[in-house]
Amino acid sequence: MSFPIVRNRRLRGNAAIRNLVRENQVTVHDVVQPIFVTHGSNIKSEIASMPGVYHFSLDRVQEEIEEITKLGIQAILLFGVPDHKDAKGTSAFMDDGIVQQATRLIKELNPNLLIIADTCLCQYTDTGHCGVIHHHPITGQADVANDASLELLVRTAVSQAKAGADIIAPSNMMDGYVHAIRSGLDEAGYENTPIMAYSVKYASAYYGPFRDAVDSTPQFGDRKTYQMDPANGREALREAESDVAEGADFLMVKPALAYMDIIRMLKDNFDLPVVAYNVSAEYSMIKAAAMQGWVNEEAIVMETMTSFKRAGADIILTYFAKDIARYLKK
């Protein structure tokens, strides 16, 4: 049967009907706000390439936590900017590391706020890479040593859980990282701490502003030997399948905007919650266009977030989280 018997516009006639039949909705409970904490005092410094996003010293982070809490956001993703870098990223797994200190402080400020700790070494190593560097004995070529890096990532995850992190989010893309961290957490008595695996993380051009924010640009080469090729889709299933088998509790796709097909692929093939990371350049491009008056920021942000949900995302990590909460309160 077709027109005139079928008229699809009948279900679009007014706002109430559209609300009744809407298939996907974004709520404040769907979004997670990333936060950058750093050493020093009295620091609330806007990140130049990410308007509206700041570095906070520990004595100023309360302002951000109070705002997030007031807006009804339930979870944050915590990144640290250390004052010391070395070959092993030692400050990533120290008990008095910046993330560990911030976690304990935030739990005092709001025990109910869910803290997701980014677990990687790139902002802590002096090379800017996500693990320790190995030099080939014959060619001298430098590369990230997978298995040696796993040990340090486990130490980092355990120290974060010990400090009070509710979820461990390893973003390093080392082979076997979920199994190693799951085993390490379990042995340390944190068997109930979930792992939000960066299962499908592409070697993307969308990370530029973030690397400015945490000073993690590689000092040589790139991350293409451990992050995925943007041209590949089926490989994402292999990566996610490995993480599921190793004990992941969430599966993340990063970036999100250019990879909605991958979000849908994971949603259709696995039963775990799917996380979309709306990364820094995706944020900055919209902000820049809005500041020029070229786009309606609220409309394009909400359309983008709804698209992530339609693609299959259960959770959205986004620098727009506070903005979204404000939009929804109106």
Side-chain angles (χ1 to χ4, degrees):
M1 305 294 287
S2 61
F3 178 84
I5 294 173
V6 175
R7 291 181 180 268
N8 292 317
R9 287 180 58 184
R10 293 181 189 126
L11 299 185
R12 306 171 194 155
N14 60 53
I17 290 177
R18 292 194 297 272
N19 287 338
L20 282 173
V21 301
R22 182 163 290 135
E23 298 174 25
N24 295 281
Q25 298 187 53
V26 177
T27 76
V28 72
H29 294 162
D30 297 324
V31 296
V32 177
Q33 176 70 50
I35 294 181
F36 297 95
V37 291
T38 189
H39 292 278
S41 61
N42 196 31
I43 295 173
K44 181 182 178 182
S45 175
E46 189 172 40
I47 299 166
S49 56
M50 300 175 69
V53 180
Y54 296 83
H55 289 123
F56 291 94
S57 55
L58 296 179
D59 59 337
R60 294 289 300 273
V61 77
Q62 182 173 353
E63 303 167 30
E64 182 78 341
I65 299 305
E66 288 177 349
E67 182 180 14
I68 286 169
T69 301
K70 185 176 181 180
L71 288 169
I73 296 169
Q74 296 186 125
I76 62 170
L77 176 61
L78 192 56
F79 293 102
V81 182
D83 60 358
H84 169 72
K85 297 174 183 278
D86 58 32
K88 290 187 175 182
T90 305
S91 56
F93 46 84
M94 295 174 63
D95 286 342
D96 62 349
I98 186 62
V99 165
Q100 289 80 355
Q101 290 187 59
T103 298
R104 289 190 289 267
L105 174 60
I106 292 168
K107 280 300 181 182
E108 291 178 4
L109 296 171
N110 182 354
N112 297 319
L113 185 64
L114 198 71
I115 297 178
I116 305 170
D118 176 74
T119 306
C120 195
L121 301 177
C122 60
Q123 59 262 51
Y124 303 97
T125 58
D126 52 15
T127 64
H129 278 285
C130 301
V132 294
I133 300 302
H134 167 76
H135 293 273
H136 192 280
I138 298 175
T139 66
Q141 183 175 354
D143 194 13
V144 174
N146 191 94
D147 295 7
S149 299
L150 292 179
E151 178 185 350
L152 302 181
L153 292 165
V154 171
R155 293 177 65 181
T156 302
V158 171
S159 72
Q160 292 170 338
K162 181 181 177 182
D166 299 287
I167 297 174
I168 299 302
S171 59
N172 53 87
M173 286 297 284
M174 297 294 110
D175 289 339
Y177 73 101
V178 174
H179 172 73
I181 290 174
R182 181 74 275 155
S183 298
L185 290 172
D186 291 355
E187 290 173 8
Y190 299 105
E191 62 275 1
N192 291 323
T193 300
I195 295 176
M196 181 179 285
Y198 282 64
S199 300
V200 184
K201 183 177 180 180
Y202 286 91
S204 173
Y206 282 93
Y207 303 147
F210 174 86
R211 290 177 180 174
D212 291 341
V214 298
D215 187 26
S216 66
T217 301
Q219 297 304 299
F220 64 88
D222 52 42
R223 298 190 175 115
K224 293 180 180 179
T225 63
Y226 47 101
Q227 295 179 357
M228 281 182 53
D229 185 341
N232 293 355
R234 294 192 304 272
E235 184 183 358
L237 288 178
R238 298 200 300 273
E239 287 282 359
E241 187 175 20
S242 295
D243 289 353
V244 171
E246 292 174 18
D249 300 285
F250 305 82
L251 303 176
M252 186 192 298
V253 176
K254 180 184 180 182
L257 191 60
Y259 299 89
M260 291 197 201
D261 58 324
I262 307 301
I263 294 172
R264 171 48 56 184
M265 190 183 296
L266 264 60
K267 186 70 170 182
D268 288 343
N269 284 275
F270 303 101
D271 293 331
L272 295 178
V274 176
V275 185
Y277 196 150
N278 179 218
V279 299
S280 58
E282 296 170 20
Y283 171 87
S284 297
M285 290 189 298
I286 292 176
K287 282 289 185 182
M291 290 168 68
Q292 292 294 324
W294 297 337
V295 298
N296 179 320
E297 181 175 336
E298 178 178 343
I300 201 168
V301 167
M302 293 308 295
E303 181 178 341
T304 302
M305 299 303 141
T306 303
S307 298
F308 294 150
K309 294 285 288 184
R310 189 186 66 246
D314 300 291
I315 301 162
I316 304 169
L317 305 179
T318 177
Y319 302 96
F320 285 114
K322 292 192 297 181
D323 294 323
I324 292 165
R326 295 187 191 101
Y327 301 153
L328 294 173
K329 278 182 175 290
K330 290 196 300 184

